[in-house]
Amino acid sequence: MSDSGDRMRVVVYYAIWAGICAVVAGLLMALIHTTFFAFVPSRVAFMATLAGGLAVTAAIAAGQAAVILVTGSLLVRLGYTLGLTVLLGLVVGAFDFAMNLVQLLVPALEPGWPWDLAILAVATVAITLCGAQRATASAA
């Protein structure tokens, strides 16, 4: 039971770390969007646009963390553990940043919110599965 609990603890820490990485990526994108691509006639409009971007970013990052928790929980039940979680969290953030940057620079590639969220969920599951390793029996 302790081994399974330890593996689940890794999943929880990974979900928190990936959420932080996604928020940082979203913060950078919100700053780039608000500074260079949004019409903001005043400082108040700038802050409102930036705050709106941050709120959306936090919500998406929370959703990605939830996807990681579900995927990780299933992996733990199947006898897997997650490795390289620091790198996986950075990859989640990098994917978020790259996807948003491409859509910002080429608006025709913006498929809409439902598709954006589906792409992020599938990518998060795929990244998490890349870190899955068969758990080894502990030498007791």
Side-chain angles (χ1 to χ4, degrees), residues 32-66:
I32 290 169
H33 173 263
T34 305
T35 304
F36 300 111
F37 294 96
F39 173 70
V40 286
S42 68
R43 288 192 187 270
V44 173
F46 179 88
M47 293 308 291
T49 303
L50 185 60
L54 291 177
V56 169
T57 293
I60 291 173
Q64 286 178 294

Side-chain angles (χ1 to χ4, degrees), residues 14 71 75 81-84 88 91 123-133:
Y14 163 51
T71 305
L75 288 172
T81 187
L82 290 175
L84 304 172
L88 294 175
V91 172
T124 302
V125 168
I127 292 167
T128 301
L129 291 176
C130 286
Q133 304 168 347

Side-chain angles (χ1 to χ4, degrees), residues 12-22 68 85-91:
V12 170
Y13 290 149
Y14 163 51
I16 293 168
W17 171 243
I20 291 169
C21 291
I68 289 169
T85 54
V86 171
L87 178 63
L88 294 175
L90 292 172
V91 172

